[in-house]
Amino acid sequence: MNKVIEQTFSVPFRYPVCFTTRLFDTQNPLLADVMRGEKIPKAFFVIDQGVSEAHPRLIGAIHRYAAAHQGAFVLAADPLVVPSGEQCKNDQASFQQVLDATNDYGIDRHSYIIAIGGGALLDMVGFAAAIAHRGIRHIRIPTTVLSQNDSGVGVKNGINAYGKKNYLGTFAPPSAVINDLTFLETLEDRDWRSGISEAIKVALIKDASFFQWIVANAKALAARDMAVMTDLVVRCAEMHMEHIAGKDPFETGSSRPLDFGHWAAHKLEHLTDYRVRHGEAVAIGIALDSTYSYLKGMLTAAELQQIIQVIRDLGFELYVPELSGEVLLQGLQEFREHLGGRLTIMLLEKIGLGVEVHAMDTELIQEAATRLKTFQMEGQNVSS
Amino acid sequence: MNKVIEQTFSVPFRYPVCFTTRLFDTQNPLLADVMRGEKIPKAFFVIDQGVSEAHPRLIGAIHRYAAAHQGAFVLAADPLVVPSGEQCKNDQASFQQVLDATNDYGIDRHSYIIAIGGGALLDMVGFAAAIAHRGIRHIRIPTTVLSQNDSGVGVKNGINAYGKKNYLGTFAPPSAVINDLTFLETLEDRDWRSGISEAIKVALIKDASFFQWIVANAKALAARDMAVMTDLVVRCAEMHMEHIAGKDPFETGSSRPLDFGHWAAHKLEHLTDYRVRHGEAVAIGIALDSTYSYLKGMLTAAELQQIIQVIRDLGFELYVPELSGEVLLQGLQEFREHLGGRLTIMLLEKIGLGVEVHAMDTELIQEAATRLKTFQMEGQNVSS
C-alpha cells in the first residue's frame, strides 16, 4: 500500500510600510491607526538602548501617546530597554527577557510587540515575537538608515548562535513597518553612512539610474542632507520590497540575489568582532566583489573606478586587515551552508546588472583584497 | 509627510502526505524518492526513544536503507534518540541537542531532518528544524494513531514553556509526511486508542456519516483491527488536511474550529502532569463539551448518549478528578490567550455540526463535569 495525498495551499501576507516624522507626537495618528481594531489590543514596546539614550524623552513620549490614544491600544507594561547592536543577538539574555515579558504580561497573538531600534534589535525582537504563541503581532520601527531602507522592511528575523550570524530565526512578515525619519537626525555619522551601502548594493545589481543618482548625491548624503536621504530611503525600501514580493519571499531556493557583497561582509563582521558594523562591512564586500568582477573581465576599469569612488565619497573604508587572511575564504562555505544547496554568489556583469556564479577563484579573491588595500592606502586609480 | 507602501505577496506551500507500510524495507523506494534531487542531500534522523525500544532493529534498518539508496541521500550522522512524549517538549535538553546537531553536522537548509515518533517528538523536532538556518527541510514520520491522523499531517510545531503547552513554536509546513502504518502494530493499547479521539472530534463537528462509521466500527477498533484502523487514519488525515488548506492555515483569526474539546483537554494534561495523555484528555474534553452542549439544549439526550457510548466502547475514561476543580476553568482563559482575540469555543449544534460560541457558563461546565463523574461511575443513561 502506497497512497499519497498532496497538500497544497497558499498563505497571503499583507503589511504596510509607512514613512513618517515625529511618530510619537500625540497629533500623529499613524501608530494608533495601525493597531486600531474591534478590540483594544495590548502593546508592548522594546527599545534599543542606544536609541533610548539618544532620545531621553522617548519613553515619556510613548506614555503620553498611549494616554492620548486609549481607544486604539493600551500599554501592556513599561517599555523594555535592551542593549544595542549585535550584542542583543549574540547573548540570549535580551531575547529571553522579551519572551519572559510575553508570559509575564499576558501578551497574546492579537497583542502587539513593537520594536524600536536598529536592525539587530528588530531581528531579535522579531524572532521572539515570531515564536511566542506561534506568532504575536509585530510592528517594526527601524531607527537607522540600514534598517529603514533594507532589513526592517523585509520578512526575516533572527539571533546569532554557534558564532554564526542569524543561525536561529524565521521568515515572519511583520504587521507593519513604520519608518520615522526623525530618528535618522540623531544617528552617529557611522550609522548614517552605513545604511547607504545597501542602497549602493541594490542599485548596482538592479538599477543603473539609481546608482547614478547616488553618485550624483554622494556628497549631499555625506553632508547629511535630510531631503536627499529621505528620497534614498524610500526608493531603496521600495526596491527591497518589490524584490521580496517578486519571488521566493521565504528563500526556498539556493540563491539570494539581494546579498551582493554579503558573503565577505558577514565574515568580516565576525572576524572583527563586530568592530566593523554591518553597513561598513557591506561597503567593503561590495568593493571586493566589484574588484573581483573587474579582475574577471566582467566590469570595465571605468565602472570599477566609479564604484570605488562613490564608496570613498561617502566616507567608507575600502579595506580592513581581516580582508587579507585566508580565514576570510571560510565565509564562502558558511554563506553556502546558510542557504544550503549550491554556492551561489552575485557578481556584476555591468553597473545595474548582477549575475550569479557558482564558484569563485580564491586566488583572485585574494588579489582583489590586495587591490583594495592599495586603493585604501594610496587613493590611486583602479587600473594602475 | 505620511507615505504608505502596501506590501502584499502569497507564499505557496505543497507537501505530500504518504501512507505506506515497511518504510525502511530497502525495496520500498518512498523515502528515498521524497529526498531525491539534483544534489544528494544529507539526512539526519531523530528517533523517539519509545519507538526505538519497541523497534530495536530500526536504527540498523535505517543504516541499511541509506546504504541501499546512496544515490538519493546520505546520513549526516548516526540517528539521535531522544526521550518520548511530553518530556522532550518540557525540558529543553532534547531541543538543544537537535539544534546542536544541525551545527555539528553541517545540516543546511537543503538537508533533511527526519523525525520518527509520536506527536510530541514531531512537534519538538519540527520546531528545531523550523528555526535553524531559518528553516531546514523536515520530514515527519509519525508513529502513533494520533500523529498519523491529526497533528503529524498539519503545519504546527512547538515546545512547552512557562508551564504552558506549545508556548513556543511556529507554523511551518513539512517537506513531506510519511505515515508507516506498520508502526501502529506495536503501540500500547492506550496509544492505539488515544488517536481515535481526534477522529471522533473531527467527525462530530464536520461529518455525521463518518461519526456513524466510527460508532459501527468502535468494537473492531478496540479489538485492534488493522484494516479498519487504516481506513480511519486515512479518512481522518484527509479531513484534517482539507480543513488546514481550506482557510487560515496559519491561524491568524481567533477561531480554531478543529479544537473541539481541546480547551479542557490542554488543561487536564497539565493538571495531571501528563498522566492523562493528549488523546485521552481529548476524549474527556469531547465528553465534557458534548454534555455541556446537551445541558444548553443544543444536543438531544439520544445524541449525547451515542457520543458517550462510543467513547466508552473504545475504552476511554470519561472522567478524572481534576475535571471537577475550579482550576480547570483557567483552561478557558489560557485557551483564549493562546489564540488571542475573543474567546472562541466550539460546541455541537448536532452530531456532525459544530458551532462557535464566545462565552461559557462556568456553573454549567461544573454541572457537566459532575454528570461525567456519574456516567463514569455508574455507566448510566445520560438523561437519568
Side-chain angles (χ1 to χ4, degrees), chain A residues 2-3 5 7 9 13 15 17 19-20 100 102-103 108-109 131 133-134 157 162 164 167 169 241 251 337, chain B residues 2-3 5 7 9 11 13 15 17 19-20 100 102-103 108-109 131 133-134 157 162 164 167 169 251 337:
Chain A
N2 273 359
K3 177 183 167 71
I5 314 176
Q7 175 70 304
F9 55 85
F13 295 98
Y15 60 93
V17 175
F19 300 86
T20 191
D100 289 351
T102 65
N103 181 56
D108 67 25
R109 298 187 64 200
I131 65 171
H133 292 302
R134 295 200 183 102
N157 58 52
Y162 307 108
K164 292 173 189 165
Y167 194 89
M241 288 166 66
E251 298 177 5
E337 195 180 287
Chain B
N2 272 359
K3 179 183 165 73
I5 313 175
Q7 175 70 304
F9 55 84
V11 180
F13 295 98
Y15 58 93
V17 175
F19 299 86
T20 190
D100 289 351
T102 65
N103 181 55
D108 67 26
R109 299 187 64 202
I131 64 170
H133 293 301
R134 295 201 183 100
N157 58 52
Y162 307 107
K164 292 173 188 167
Y167 193 89
E251 297 176 7
E337 196 180 288

Short mmCIF file of all heavy atoms in Angstrom, two decimals, chain A residues 2-3 5 7 9 13 15 17 19-20 100 102-103 108-109 131 133-134 157 162 164 167 169 241 251 337, chain B residues 2-3 5 7 9 11 13 15 17 19-20 100 102-103 108-109 131 133-134 157 162 164 167 169 251 337:
data_model
loop_
_atom_site.label_atom_id
_atom_site.label_comp_id
_atom_site.label_asym_id
_atom_site.label_seq_id
_atom_site.Cartn_x
_atom_site.Cartn_y
_atom_site.Cartn_z
N ASN A 2 0.88 1.98 -1.09
CA ASN A 2 1.47 3.32 -1.08
C ASN A 2 0.45 4.31 -1.62
O ASN A 2 0.08 4.24 -2.79
CB ASN A 2 2.76 3.37 -1.94
CG ASN A 2 3.99 2.97 -1.13
OD1 ASN A 2 3.90 2.67 0.05
ND2 ASN A 2 5.15 2.98 -1.77
N LYS A 3 -0.05 5.16 -0.74
CA LYS A 3 -1.06 6.13 -1.13
C LYS A 3 -0.51 7.52 -0.81
O LYS A 3 0.14 7.71 0.22
CB LYS A 3 -2.34 5.87 -0.33
CG LYS A 3 -3.49 6.86 -0.58
CD LYS A 3 -4.67 6.53 0.34
CE LYS A 3 -5.70 7.67 0.34
NZ LYS A 3 -6.45 7.78 -0.91
N ILE A 5 -1.49 11.71 -0.65
CA ILE A 5 -2.39 12.86 -0.77
C ILE A 5 -1.51 14.11 -0.82
O ILE A 5 -0.67 14.31 0.06
CB ILE A 5 -3.33 13.00 0.44
CG1 ILE A 5 -3.96 11.65 0.82
CG2 ILE A 5 -4.42 14.03 0.16
CD1 ILE A 5 -4.82 11.73 2.09
N GLN A 7 -0.88 17.90 -0.30
CA GLN A 7 -1.43 19.06 0.40
C GLN A 7 -0.89 20.33 -0.28
O GLN A 7 0.31 20.45 -0.46
CB GLN A 7 -1.00 19.02 1.88
CG GLN A 7 -1.41 20.24 2.69
CD GLN A 7 -2.91 20.33 2.96
OE1 GLN A 7 -3.72 20.32 2.02
NE2 GLN A 7 -3.30 20.41 4.20
N PHE A 9 -1.55 24.69 -0.46
CA PHE A 9 -2.29 25.91 -0.12
C PHE A 9 -1.34 27.09 -0.23
O PHE A 9 -0.12 26.92 -0.28
CB PHE A 9 -2.90 25.83 1.29
CG PHE A 9 -1.92 25.52 2.38
CD1 PHE A 9 -1.18 26.52 2.98
CD2 PHE A 9 -1.74 24.21 2.81
CE1 PHE A 9 -0.28 26.23 4.00
CE2 PHE A 9 -0.83 23.90 3.83
CZ PHE A 9 -0.10 24.92 4.42
N PHE A 13 0.07 37.26 2.59
CA PHE A 13 0.60 38.20 3.59
C PHE A 13 0.42 39.62 3.07
O PHE A 13 0.51 39.85 1.86
CB PHE A 13 2.09 37.93 3.85
CG PHE A 13 2.36 36.59 4.47
CD1 PHE A 13 2.75 35.51 3.68
CD2 PHE A 13 2.22 36.40 5.83
CE1 PHE A 13 3.00 34.26 4.25
CE2 PHE A 13 2.47 35.16 6.41
CZ PHE A 13 2.86 34.09 5.61
N TYR A 15 1.24 43.77 4.53
CA TYR A 15 1.57 44.72 5.60
C TYR A 15 1.98 46.06 5.00
O TYR A 15 2.54 46.11 3.92
CB TYR A 15 2.66 44.17 6.52
CG TYR A 15 3.99 43.83 5.87
CD1 TYR A 15 5.03 44.75 5.82
CD2 TYR A 15 4.21 42.57 5.34
CE1 TYR A 15 6.25 44.43 5.25
CE2 TYR A 15 5.43 42.24 4.75
CZ TYR A 15 6.45 43.17 4.70
OH TYR A 15 7.66 42.85 4.12
N VAL A 17 4.20 49.47 4.81
CA VAL A 17 5.47 50.08 5.19
C VAL A 17 5.23 51.60 5.11
O VAL A 17 4.95 52.13 4.02
CB VAL A 17 6.61 49.64 4.26
CG1 VAL A 17 7.89 50.40 4.60
CG2 VAL A 17 6.83 48.13 4.38
N PHE A 19 6.08 55.73 6.01
CA PHE A 19 7.15 56.71 6.23
C PHE A 19 6.51 57.93 6.89
O PHE A 19 5.51 58.44 6.41
CB PHE A 19 7.78 57.11 4.90
CG PHE A 19 8.40 55.94 4.19
CD1 PHE A 19 7.63 55.12 3.36
CD2 PHE A 19 9.74 55.63 4.37
CE1 PHE A 19 8.18 54.03 2.73
CE2 PHE A 19 10.31 54.52 3.74
CZ PHE A 19 9.53 53.72 2.91
N THR A 20 7.09 58.35 7.99
CA THR A 20 6.52 59.47 8.72
C THR A 20 7.62 60.24 9.43
O THR A 20 8.81 59.88 9.34
CB THR A 20 5.45 58.97 9.73
OG1 THR A 20 4.71 60.07 10.24
CG2 THR A 20 6.08 58.21 10.86
N ASP A 100 10.08 36.26 28.20
CA ASP A 100 9.53 36.30 29.56
C ASP A 100 8.41 37.34 29.65
O ASP A 100 7.38 37.11 30.29
CB ASP A 100 10.62 36.66 30.59
CG ASP A 100 11.62 35.52 30.78
OD1 ASP A 100 11.38 34.41 30.26
OD2 ASP A 100 12.64 35.74 31.46
N THR A 102 6.38 38.35 27.37
CA THR A 102 5.13 37.90 26.73
C THR A 102 4.32 37.07 27.72
O THR A 102 3.10 37.15 27.74
CB THR A 102 5.37 37.07 25.46
OG1 THR A 102 6.04 35.85 25.79
CG2 THR A 102 6.17 37.85 24.43
N ASN A 103 5.03 36.29 28.52
CA ASN A 103 4.34 35.46 29.51
C ASN A 103 3.90 36.30 30.72
O ASN A 103 2.75 36.24 31.14
CB ASN A 103 5.25 34.32 29.96
CG ASN A 103 4.57 33.41 30.97
OD1 ASN A 103 3.50 32.88 30.70
ND2 ASN A 103 5.18 33.26 32.13
N ASP A 108 -0.85 38.24 24.05
CA ASP A 108 -1.36 37.14 23.24
C ASP A 108 -1.14 37.41 21.75
O ASP A 108 -0.52 38.40 21.37
CB ASP A 108 -2.82 36.84 23.59
CG ASP A 108 -3.76 37.97 23.19
OD1 ASP A 108 -3.44 38.74 22.29
OD2 ASP A 108 -4.85 38.05 23.80
N ARG A 109 -1.66 36.54 20.91
CA ARG A 109 -1.40 36.63 19.47
C ARG A 109 -2.07 37.85 18.83
O ARG A 109 -1.74 38.20 17.72
CB ARG A 109 -1.89 35.36 18.77
CG ARG A 109 -1.15 34.12 19.26
CD ARG A 109 -1.52 32.92 18.44
NE ARG A 109 -1.10 33.11 17.07
CZ ARG A 109 -1.59 32.47 16.04
NH1 ARG A 109 -2.53 31.57 16.21
NH2 ARG A 109 -1.14 32.70 14.83
N ILE A 131 7.93 33.43 17.59
CA ILE A 131 7.80 32.07 18.15
C ILE A 131 6.93 32.02 19.42
O ILE A 131 6.46 30.94 19.77
CB ILE A 131 9.17 31.41 18.41
CG1 ILE A 131 9.96 32.16 19.49
CG2 ILE A 131 9.97 31.31 17.11
CD1 ILE A 131 11.23 31.41 19.92
N HIS A 133 3.70 31.97 21.38
CA HIS A 133 2.33 31.65 20.92
C HIS A 133 2.29 31.39 19.41
O HIS A 133 1.28 31.68 18.76
CB HIS A 133 1.37 32.80 21.25
CG HIS A 133 1.11 33.00 22.70
ND1 HIS A 133 0.60 32.01 23.51
CD2 HIS A 133 1.30 34.09 23.51
CE1 HIS A 133 0.47 32.47 24.74
NE2 HIS A 133 0.90 33.72 24.77
N ARG A 134 3.38 30.93 18.84
CA ARG A 134 3.49 30.71 17.38
C ARG A 134 3.23 32.00 16.59
O ARG A 134 2.76 31.95 15.46
CB ARG A 134 2.51 29.63 16.90
CG ARG A 134 2.79 28.24 17.46
CD ARG A 134 2.13 27.15 16.61
NE ARG A 134 2.34 25.84 17.17
CZ ARG A 134 1.43 25.16 17.86
NH1 ARG A 134 0.24 25.68 18.05
NH2 ARG A 134 1.71 23.97 18.33
N ASN A 157 13.93 37.48 10.50
CA ASN A 157 14.34 37.84 11.85
C ASN A 157 15.39 36.84 12.30
O ASN A 157 15.68 35.89 11.56
CB ASN A 157 13.12 37.84 12.79
CG ASN A 157 12.42 36.50 12.82
OD1 ASN A 157 13.06 35.47 13.02
ND2 ASN A 157 11.12 36.51 12.60
N TYR A 162 26.12 29.69 17.89
CA TYR A 162 27.28 28.92 17.42
C TYR A 162 28.27 29.83 16.68
O TYR A 162 28.92 29.41 15.72
CB TYR A 162 26.84 27.78 16.50
CG TYR A 162 25.77 26.89 17.12
CD1 TYR A 162 24.45 26.93 16.66
CD2 TYR A 162 26.07 26.04 18.19
CE1 TYR A 162 23.47 26.14 17.24
CE2 TYR A 162 25.11 25.24 18.77
CZ TYR A 162 23.81 25.30 18.30
OH TYR A 162 22.83 24.51 18.87
N LYS A 164 27.63 32.06 14.66
CA LYS A 164 27.19 32.34 13.29
C LYS A 164 26.01 33.30 13.31
O LYS A 164 25.08 33.13 14.09
CB LYS A 164 26.82 31.03 12.58
CG LYS A 164 28.05 30.15 12.35
CD LYS A 164 27.68 28.78 11.82
CE LYS A 164 28.92 27.87 11.82
NZ LYS A 164 28.58 26.43 11.64
N TYR A 167 21.90 32.41 12.95
CA TYR A 167 21.80 30.95 12.88
C TYR A 167 20.38 30.49 13.22
O TYR A 167 19.86 29.54 12.66
CB TYR A 167 22.80 30.27 13.82
CG TYR A 167 22.94 28.80 13.51
CD1 TYR A 167 23.88 28.37 12.59
CD2 TYR A 167 22.11 27.85 14.11
CE1 TYR A 167 23.99 27.03 12.26
CE2 TYR A 167 22.21 26.51 13.79
CZ TYR A 167 23.15 26.11 12.86
OH TYR A 167 23.24 24.78 12.52
N GLY A 169 16.34 31.66 13.46
CA GLY A 169 15.41 32.70 13.04
C GLY A 169 14.29 32.11 12.20
O GLY A 169 14.18 30.90 12.03
N MET A 241 11.35 45.86 -1.18
CA MET A 241 10.03 45.24 -1.05
C MET A 241 9.59 44.56 -2.33
O MET A 241 9.02 43.46 -2.31
CB MET A 241 9.00 46.30 -0.65
CG MET A 241 9.17 46.78 0.79
SD MET A 241 8.23 48.30 1.08
CE MET A 241 6.55 47.68 0.89
N GLU A 251 12.69 32.33 0.60
CA GLU A 251 14.01 31.82 0.19
C GLU A 251 14.15 30.30 0.24
O GLU A 251 15.03 29.76 0.91
CB GLU A 251 15.10 32.47 1.07
CG GLU A 251 15.13 33.98 0.88
CD GLU A 251 16.14 34.69 1.78
OE1 GLU A 251 16.88 34.02 2.50
OE2 GLU A 251 16.14 35.93 1.75
N GLU A 337 26.46 27.29 3.21
CA GLU A 337 25.81 26.42 4.19
C GLU A 337 24.52 27.05 4.73
O GLU A 337 23.53 26.36 4.95
CB GLU A 337 26.79 26.19 5.33
CG GLU A 337 26.43 25.05 6.23
CD GLU A 337 27.47 24.91 7.33
OE1 GLU A 337 28.60 24.46 7.04
OE2 GLU A 337 27.15 25.27 8.47
N ASN B 2 3.37 61.69 5.48
CA ASN B 2 2.97 60.31 5.77
C ASN B 2 2.77 59.59 4.45
O ASN B 2 1.87 59.92 3.69
CB ASN B 2 1.67 60.27 6.60
CG ASN B 2 1.95 60.34 8.10
OD1 ASN B 2 3.10 60.39 8.52
ND2 ASN B 2 0.91 60.34 8.90
N LYS B 3 3.64 58.64 4.17
CA LYS B 3 3.57 57.89 2.91
C LYS B 3 3.47 56.41 3.27
O LYS B 3 4.14 55.95 4.20
CB LYS B 3 4.85 58.15 2.11
CG LYS B 3 4.94 57.40 0.77
CD LYS B 3 6.28 57.68 0.07
CE LYS B 3 6.54 56.69 -1.04
NZ LYS B 3 5.69 56.92 -2.22
N ILE B 5 3.47 52.41 1.67
CA ILE B 5 3.56 51.43 0.58
C ILE B 5 3.01 50.11 1.13
O ILE B 5 3.44 49.64 2.17
CB ILE B 5 5.03 51.19 0.14
CG1 ILE B 5 5.79 52.52 -0.05
CG2 ILE B 5 5.08 50.37 -1.14
CD1 ILE B 5 7.28 52.31 -0.36
N GLN B 7 2.78 46.25 1.17
CA GLN B 7 3.49 45.05 0.71
C GLN B 7 2.50 43.88 0.72
O GLN B 7 1.85 43.62 1.73
CB GLN B 7 4.67 44.75 1.65
CG GLN B 7 5.41 43.46 1.36
CD GLN B 7 6.23 43.52 0.08
OE1 GLN B 7 5.72 43.78 -1.00
NE2 GLN B 7 7.50 43.23 0.17
N PHE B 9 2.04 39.74 -0.79
CA PHE B 9 2.50 38.58 -1.56
C PHE B 9 1.88 37.32 -0.95
O PHE B 9 1.38 37.35 0.18
CB PHE B 9 4.04 38.47 -1.58
CG PHE B 9 4.68 38.45 -0.22
CD1 PHE B 9 4.79 37.28 0.50
CD2 PHE B 9 5.18 39.62 0.34
CE1 PHE B 9 5.38 37.27 1.76
CE2 PHE B 9 5.77 39.62 1.61
CZ PHE B 9 5.89 38.43 2.31
N VAL B 11 2.61 33.13 -0.30
CA VAL B 11 3.63 32.09 -0.30
C VAL B 11 2.94 30.74 -0.50
O VAL B 11 2.09 30.37 0.30
CB VAL B 11 4.43 32.10 1.02
CG1 VAL B 11 5.50 31.02 1.01
CG2 VAL B 11 5.06 33.47 1.23
N PHE B 13 2.61 26.71 -0.54
CA PHE B 13 3.19 25.55 0.14
C PHE B 13 2.62 24.28 -0.49
O PHE B 13 1.46 24.26 -0.91
CB PHE B 13 2.86 25.57 1.63
CG PHE B 13 3.48 26.73 2.37
CD1 PHE B 13 2.75 27.88 2.64
CD2 PHE B 13 4.81 26.67 2.79
CE1 PHE B 13 3.32 28.95 3.32
CE2 PHE B 13 5.38 27.74 3.46
CZ PHE B 13 4.63 28.88 3.73
N TYR B 15 3.08 19.87 0.03
CA TYR B 15 3.82 18.70 0.54
C TYR B 15 2.95 17.46 0.44
O TYR B 15 1.73 17.54 0.55
CB TYR B 15 4.30 18.92 1.99
CG TYR B 15 3.22 19.22 3.01
CD1 TYR B 15 2.63 18.20 3.75
CD2 TYR B 15 2.80 20.52 3.27
CE1 TYR B 15 1.65 18.46 4.71
CE2 TYR B 15 1.83 20.79 4.21
CZ TYR B 15 1.25 19.77 4.93
OH TYR B 15 0.29 20.04 5.87
N VAL B 17 1.46 13.91 1.74
CA VAL B 17 1.22 13.07 2.91
C VAL B 17 1.06 11.64 2.39
O VAL B 17 0.13 11.35 1.63
CB VAL B 17 -0.02 13.53 3.69
CG1 VAL B 17 -0.32 12.57 4.85
CG2 VAL B 17 0.18 14.95 4.22
N PHE B 19 1.03 7.33 2.71
CA PHE B 19 0.68 6.20 3.57
C PHE B 19 1.39 4.98 3.01
O PHE B 19 1.29 4.70 1.81
CB PHE B 19 -0.84 5.99 3.58
CG PHE B 19 -1.58 7.19 4.11
CD1 PHE B 19 -1.92 8.23 3.26
CD2 PHE B 19 -1.90 7.30 5.45
CE1 PHE B 19 -2.59 9.35 3.74
CE2 PHE B 19 -2.57 8.41 5.94
CZ PHE B 19 -2.92 9.44 5.08
N THR B 20 2.10 4.28 3.86
CA THR B 20 2.85 3.12 3.39
C THR B 20 2.97 2.11 4.52
O THR B 20 2.48 2.33 5.63
CB THR B 20 4.25 3.57 2.89
OG1 THR B 20 4.89 2.48 2.22
CG2 THR B 20 5.12 4.03 4.04
N ASP B 100 22.04 21.63 18.26
CA ASP B 100 23.49 21.40 18.24
C ASP B 100 23.88 20.51 17.07
O ASP B 100 24.89 20.75 16.40
CB ASP B 100 23.94 20.73 19.55
CG ASP B 100 23.87 21.66 20.75
OD1 ASP B 100 23.65 22.88 20.56
OD2 ASP B 100 24.05 21.18 21.88
N THR B 102 22.48 20.23 14.20
CA THR B 102 22.46 20.93 12.90
C THR B 102 23.77 21.67 12.69
O THR B 102 24.28 21.74 11.58
CB THR B 102 21.30 21.95 12.80
OG1 THR B 102 21.49 23.00 13.76
CG2 THR B 102 19.95 21.29 13.00
N ASN B 103 24.32 22.20 13.80
CA ASN B 103 25.60 22.90 13.69
C ASN B 103 26.76 21.90 13.57
O ASN B 103 27.62 22.03 12.69
CB ASN B 103 25.79 23.81 14.91
CG ASN B 103 27.08 24.58 14.84
OD1 ASN B 103 27.34 25.29 13.86
ND2 ASN B 103 27.93 24.43 15.85
N ASP B 108 22.36 21.86 6.40
CA ASP B 108 21.95 23.14 5.84
C ASP B 108 20.48 23.13 5.42
O ASP B 108 19.77 22.15 5.66
CB ASP B 108 22.89 23.57 4.70
CG ASP B 108 22.76 22.65 3.50
OD1 ASP B 108 21.69 22.01 3.30
OD2 ASP B 108 23.74 22.57 2.73
N ARG B 109 20.04 24.22 4.82
CA ARG B 109 18.62 24.36 4.50
C ARG B 109 18.14 23.38 3.43
O ARG B 109 16.95 23.20 3.25
CB ARG B 109 18.30 25.79 4.05
CG ARG B 109 18.62 26.81 5.12
CD ARG B 109 18.16 28.18 4.72
NE ARG B 109 16.73 28.20 4.60
CZ ARG B 109 16.04 29.08 3.89
NH1 ARG B 109 16.68 30.03 3.24
NH2 ARG B 109 14.74 29.02 3.82
N ILE B 131 13.59 26.66 12.90
CA ILE B 131 14.33 27.88 13.24
C ILE B 131 15.82 27.81 12.94
O ILE B 131 16.46 28.85 12.84
CB ILE B 131 14.10 28.31 14.71
CG1 ILE B 131 14.64 27.28 15.69
CG2 ILE B 131 12.62 28.58 14.97
CD1 ILE B 131 14.66 27.77 17.14
N HIS B 133 18.90 27.91 10.76
CA HIS B 133 19.07 28.48 9.40
C HIS B 133 17.75 29.02 8.85
O HIS B 133 17.52 28.98 7.65
CB HIS B 133 19.61 27.43 8.42
CG HIS B 133 21.00 26.98 8.69
ND1 HIS B 133 22.07 27.84 8.73
CD2 HIS B 133 21.51 25.74 8.95
CE1 HIS B 133 23.18 27.16 8.97
NE2 HIS B 133 22.86 25.89 9.13
N ARG B 134 16.85 29.45 9.70
CA ARG B 134 15.50 29.92 9.29
C ARG B 134 14.72 28.84 8.53
O ARG B 134 13.86 29.15 7.71
CB ARG B 134 15.60 31.17 8.42
CG ARG B 134 16.16 32.39 9.14
CD ARG B 134 15.76 33.68 8.46
NE ARG B 134 16.37 34.84 9.10
CZ ARG B 134 17.45 35.48 8.64
NH1 ARG B 134 18.04 35.07 7.53
NH2 ARG B 134 17.92 36.52 9.27
N ASN B 157 4.27 23.30 14.97
CA ASN B 157 5.29 22.64 15.78
C ASN B 157 5.40 23.42 17.08
O ASN B 157 4.74 24.44 17.26
CB ASN B 157 6.62 22.60 15.03
CG ASN B 157 7.10 23.98 14.64
OD1 ASN B 157 7.17 24.88 15.47
ND2 ASN B 157 7.41 24.17 13.36
N TYR B 162 7.10 27.98 30.28
CA TYR B 162 6.30 28.68 31.30
C TYR B 162 5.12 27.81 31.75
O TYR B 162 4.05 28.32 32.04
CB TYR B 162 5.80 30.03 30.77
CG TYR B 162 6.90 30.90 30.20
CD1 TYR B 162 7.02 31.09 28.82
CD2 TYR B 162 7.83 31.50 31.04
CE1 TYR B 162 8.03 31.89 28.30
CE2 TYR B 162 8.86 32.28 30.52
CZ TYR B 162 8.94 32.48 29.15
OH TYR B 162 9.94 33.25 28.62
N LYS B 164 3.27 26.08 29.99
CA LYS B 164 2.16 26.12 29.04
C LYS B 164 2.53 25.34 27.78
O LYS B 164 3.63 25.43 27.26
CB LYS B 164 1.84 27.58 28.68
CG LYS B 164 1.25 28.35 29.88
CD LYS B 164 1.09 29.82 29.59
CE LYS B 164 0.70 30.57 30.89
NZ LYS B 164 0.82 32.02 30.74
N TYR B 167 3.96 26.78 24.08
CA TYR B 167 4.11 28.24 24.23
C TYR B 167 5.04 28.79 23.15
O TYR B 167 4.85 29.90 22.65
CB TYR B 167 4.65 28.60 25.62
CG TYR B 167 4.50 30.08 25.91
CD1 TYR B 167 3.35 30.57 26.49
CD2 TYR B 167 5.49 30.99 25.54
CE1 TYR B 167 3.17 31.93 26.71
CE2 TYR B 167 5.33 32.35 25.76
CZ TYR B 167 4.16 32.82 26.34
OH TYR B 167 4.00 34.16 26.55
N GLY B 169 6.72 28.11 19.35
CA GLY B 169 6.59 27.27 18.16
C GLY B 169 6.34 28.14 16.94
O GLY B 169 6.33 29.37 17.02
N GLU B 251 -3.60 30.33 11.13
CA GLU B 251 -4.43 30.71 12.27
C GLU B 251 -4.27 32.17 12.70
O GLU B 251 -3.95 32.47 13.84
CB GLU B 251 -4.16 29.79 13.47
CG GLU B 251 -4.53 28.36 13.14
CD GLU B 251 -4.19 27.37 14.26
OE1 GLU B 251 -3.77 27.80 15.34
OE2 GLU B 251 -4.35 26.16 14.02
N GLU B 337 -6.07 33.06 25.55
CA GLU B 337 -4.82 33.79 25.48
C GLU B 337 -3.90 33.21 24.39
O GLU B 337 -3.22 33.96 23.70
CB GLU B 337 -4.14 33.68 26.85
CG GLU B 337 -3.04 34.67 27.06
CD GLU B 337 -2.43 34.48 28.45
OE1 GLU B 337 -3.08 34.82 29.45
OE2 GLU B 337 -1.30 33.97 28.51
#
